[in-house]
Amino acid sequence: MLEDDFTYVIRKAFKGLALAPAEAAWLADLPENEVLTFSKGKFSPETARKLARALGLKPEALANHEGYLPKPLALANIRRLDLPFSGERVNAWIVRAGDAAVLFDTGYDPKSCIEQLETTGESLPDQIFITHAHPDHIGGVSAFLAKGIQLHGSQINHASLMKPGDEILCGP
């Protein structure tokens, strides 16, 4: 699956923040059974908004996520990496242009992203951009830092700080 349905987004947020549904319900000021029902597939935009705030997600994005399914695109220079995340899966993306390559997110554990790149014969990226600091997106950072690869993001140790609107040229 290219995009995550709302139940998967919630399950990953619970795991990434090490929260039980009961804890998330308390933080969102929602009844626990409402959070459980939502996480099992009964969508409610209002529940989504409240839960998103408690989980550090964008409330309107989650409130509009039910049924979201973009059309797949085949782009030769962009490759999806399907990485393990505590019994689930998480995406990372490598983008190549000329001899340059950048990676978006590193997965949950320090080994899986590098191993997948090596297994498929791909070279390591020149730079890494982190979309957000949830553990399933930054868990592999240490392995890339150990190889001297430059890291960009916000609220991430050892990263060059990036703010919305910042631009960095990587290759052509």
Side-chain angles (χ1 to χ4, degrees):
M1 173 187 333
L2 179 59
E3 295 295 327
D4 303 335
D5 72 21
F6 74 93
T7 63
Y8 189 64
V9 170
I10 296 303
R11 287 194 319 267
K12 284 193 335 184
F14 288 165
K15 283 184 182 185
L17 297 170
L19 287 175
E23 295 169 302
W26 182 83
L27 290 170
D29 196 27
L30 289 166
E32 181 180 356
N33 67 335
E34 188 173 332
V35 171
L36 289 171
T37 300
F38 182 83
S39 68
K40 291 179 181 174
K42 186 169 187 219
F43 190 82
S44 158
E46 190 52 40
T47 300
R49 283 183 192 90
K50 289 180 180 179
L51 199 51
R53 286 185 206 57
L55 298 175
L57 303 172
K58 293 180 179 177
E60 285 310 306
L62 189 58
N64 292 303
H65 196 58
E66 183 185 30
Y68 171 71
L69 188 61
K71 293 179 182 176
L73 296 173
L75 302 170
N77 59 341
I78 299 175
R79 185 165 165 261
R80 174 180 168 243
L81 305 175
D82 181 25
L83 304 170
F85 170 52
S86 187
E88 302 279 355
R89 308 300 293 174
V90 66
N91 297 322
W93 299 87
I94 190 145
V95 179
R96 297 193 180 279
D99 292 334
V102 295
L103 178 68
F104 291 88
D105 298 330
T106 64
Y108 180 65
D109 68 73
K111 293 187 251 179
S112 65
C113 190
I114 288 179
E115 286 175 354
Q116 192 169 121
L117 290 170
E118 290 174 347
T119 299
T120 58
E122 295 205 40
S123 60
L124 294 177
D126 301 296
Q127 298 186 55
I128 299 171
F129 294 84
I130 301 297
T131 59
H132 59 285
H134 286 173
D136 56 322
H137 294 257
I138 64 168
V141 162
S142 62
F144 289 97
L145 288 174
K147 295 185 177 290
I149 298 173
Q150 189 172 8
L151 181 68
H152 306 279
S154 64
Q155 302 174 346
I156 300 158
N157 290 338
H158 309 293
S160 299
L161 179 64
M162 287 194 74
K163 301 177 300 298
D166 285 354
E167 295 181 23
I168 296 175
L169 181 64
C170 303

